C-alpha cells in the first residue's frame, strides 16, 4: 500500500501555492477528474483539471493581490473543511467554508459555501458551526 500525504498536508500545500499564484503547483494537487462546485446552489464551477487550470490562471492574473487565510480547520481521513477568508478580490473580502475531498494524495472535489458580509457570516457561524438545536457534544476526559 502506497503512503500518501494526509488531507492536512495536501490542503496546506494547496494554500501555499494558491497564495503564491503558482498555477502548476496548484493544479498538481488536483486529480484529473476533480470538480469544484458551490455547495449551496449545487452549481458546478469547474469539471476536470483543464477547467480548474483555466479558471485559476484567470483568477490569479486578474487579482494580483489575491491571497487566502485559513481561520479554522476540521479534518478526517478523506476530508478537510476550512473556514477561510479570501482577500484581494475587486468585490471585497470573501468568506468561505471550503470542503475538500482528498484521496490518494489528490484533491478529488472542492465545494464552497461563500458569503461576503458580516451579517451572513454571523448567520452561517450560528447555523452551521454552532447549531444550538443539536445536543451538546459529549466531552471525553479520558483522551
Amino acid at each position: 500500500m502506497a503512503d500518501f500525504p494526509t488531507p492536512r498536508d495536501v490542503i496546506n500545500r494547496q494554500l501555499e501555492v494558491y497564495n503564491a499564484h503558482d498555477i502548476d503547483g496548484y493544479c498538481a494537487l488536483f486529480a484529473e477528474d476533480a470538480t469544484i462546485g458551490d455547495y449551496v446552489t449545487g452549481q458546478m464551477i469547474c469539471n476536470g483539471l483543464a477547467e480548474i487550470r483555466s479558471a485559476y490562471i484567470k483568477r490569479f492574473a486578474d487579482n494580483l493581490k489575491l491571497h487566502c487565510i485559513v481561520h479554522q480547520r476540521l479534518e478526517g481521513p478523506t476530508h478537510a473543511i476550512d473556514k477561510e477568508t479570501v482577500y484581494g478580490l475587486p468585490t471585497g473580502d470573501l468568506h468561505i467554508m471550503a470542503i475538500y475531498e482528498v484521496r490518494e494524495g489528490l484533491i478529488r472535489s472542492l465545494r464552497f459555501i461563500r458569503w461576503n458580509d458580516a451579517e451572513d457570516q454571523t448567520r452561517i457561524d450560528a447555523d452551521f458551526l454552532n447549531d444550538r438545536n443539536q445536543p451538546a457534544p459529549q466531552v471525553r476526559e479520558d483522551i
Side-chain angles (χ1 to χ4, degrees):
M1 179 180 227
D3 285 331
F4 295 105
T6 66
R8 174 180 287 275
D9 294 337
V10 173
I11 303 313
N12 282 344
R13 179 71 180 140
Q14 182 264 354
L15 178 66
E16 179 183 318
V17 296
Y18 179 94
N19 285 340
H21 299 195
D22 175 357
I23 191 64
D24 292 328
Y26 190 76
C27 289
L29 298 169
F30 285 85
E32 191 67 36
D33 61 348
T35 59
I36 298 177
D38 186 298
Y39 185 84
V40 175
T41 66
Q43 176 188 7
M44 183 70 64
I45 298 168
C46 297
N47 190 2
L49 188 56
E51 287 185 16
I52 292 169
R53 178 178 288 280
S54 177
Y56 281 86
I57 285 173
K58 180 168 178 31
R59 186 172 190 102
F60 293 155
D62 290 351
N63 304 285
L64 298 178
K65 294 183 178 182
L66 183 72
H67 67 284
C68 178
I69 294 177
V70 174
H71 305 287
Q72 293 176 308
R73 177 173 292 152
L74 299 172
E75 62 183 297
T78 59
H79 287 76
I81 303 172
D82 283 354
K83 182 179 180 185
E84 308 172 346
T85 303
V86 177
Y87 300 94
L89 294 169
T91 55
D93 300 345
L94 184 63
H95 306 286
I96 295 174
M97 295 293 296
I99 305 160
Y100 299 90
E101 177 187 4
V102 179
R103 296 188 187 274
E104 297 179 349
L106 295 173
I107 300 168
R108 303 296 171 158
S109 70
L110 172 54
R111 298 291 178 264
F112 295 117
I113 300 170
R114 303 180 275 191
W115 67 98
N116 62 4
D117 65 42
E119 181 178 323
D120 281 346
Q121 181 176 355
T122 301
R123 178 184 53 78
I124 288 174
D125 281 350
D127 293 346
F128 187 78
L129 296 177
N130 301 314
D131 190 352
R132 301 203 193 288
N133 296 325
Q134 298 295 320
Q138 297 298 314
V139 176
R140 291 186 57 192
E141 296 183 14
D142 61 332
I143 53 176

